[in-house]
Amino acid sequence: PSPQCRAEYSRFDLLAGCSTQFLSNACITAVTPVALLSAERRHAGSAAALFTSGATAGATSIGMVISLVLTYRCPPSYLDGRAPFYVLAAMLALGNGAYMAVELTLSPLWLLMCARVAMALGFGAVYVTKRRAAVVTNDAQRDYYFLLLELSSSLGLASGPLITGTFVALLPRAALLGPPLCLLAIVAAFVCAVACVPIGTPLVAAAPLDPLEQKPLMRRVATESSIADG
């Protein structure tokens, strides 16, 4: 890792990382079950509805690519702080809000796509989460943290359609606007967590040091024990 970056992987990093993976994928997939329904409202009985639904679902990738490229160019002082996650939350809130406004007014397709692109402009935080996990030097621990990130990502992929499908089944009139509102509530909880959790608290408490030799006491005891046994 860069000498300028935080050397410790903290509780904040794990919380923000798993939450970011979950949120980004939930927001991507939440629109999938109703994309065709949204398109049918604009192009009833037309083949253009298929293009509209595909464009709506795929527009998120455009914003994601832009965000990832820009975030990669940012300095460590930005990447190691809370800012990427605040940007993620702000763009998710803006994008979901714009999406609801466009659906309410049945605005043209290009506005719907712009809303989805805007929503993904904070997805550079996804890169930040994996960059932070990469500072862990212990191979087993690093693999475990990457596993947690991937599990959170998979949960998000499943949760987006599940949230929308629940609205379609139980509250069909809210099928288009309910999921974005639900995601906005999750984003609000995410912001509170990011703001409240200390950024530098180690995930695993360090072993106490021997004041004389400045070595972890547990390691010293283990070493002396092995020498005595030998």
Side-chain angles (χ1 to χ4, degrees), residues 30-45:
V31 72
T32 304
V34 292
L36 186 57
L37 173 62
S38 173
E40 289 285 356
R41 297 174 69 206
R42 291 171 171 78
H43 309 285

Side-chain angles (χ1 to χ4, degrees), residues 44-134:
S46 170
L50 295 175
F51 169 78
T52 300
S53 62
T56 302
T60 313
S61 299
I62 299 173
M64 182 184 293
V65 169
I66 294 172
S67 181
L68 288 171
V69 171
L70 293 177
T71 304
Y72 180 75
R73 304 289 297 177
C74 291
S77 58
Y78 172 84
L79 298 174
D80 290 333
R82 303 178 196 269
F85 305 106
Y86 288 144
V87 172
L88 170 69
M91 297 315 299
L92 286 177
L94 176 64
N96 277 292
Y99 180 82
M100 287 191 293
V102 170
E103 285 292 4
L104 279 171
T105 57
L106 278 180
S107 298
L109 169 65
W110 68 271
L111 284 175
L112 195 63
M113 292 181 65
C114 286
R116 296 292 293 176
V117 170
M119 187 201 73
L121 288 178
F123 280 18
V126 173
Y127 157 70
V128 173
T129 66
K130 295 182 178 180
R131 176 184 177 276
R132 286 300 310 153

Side-chain angles (χ1 to χ4, degrees), residues 113-168:
M113 292 181 65
C114 286
R116 296 292 293 176
V117 170
M119 187 201 73
L121 288 178
F123 280 18
V126 173
Y127 157 70
V128 173
T129 66
K130 295 182 178 180
R131 176 184 177 276
R132 286 300 310 153
V135 304
V136 179
T137 55
N138 182 283
D139 291 342
Q141 285 184 339
R142 185 173 60 250
D143 290 347
Y144 178 65
Y145 295 146
F146 271 108
L147 172 64
L148 292 180
L149 293 177
E150 292 303 320
L151 286 174
S152 300
S153 175
S154 298
L155 285 174
L157 285 171
S159 297
L162 183 61
I163 291 171
T164 304
T166 301
F167 275 97
V168 171

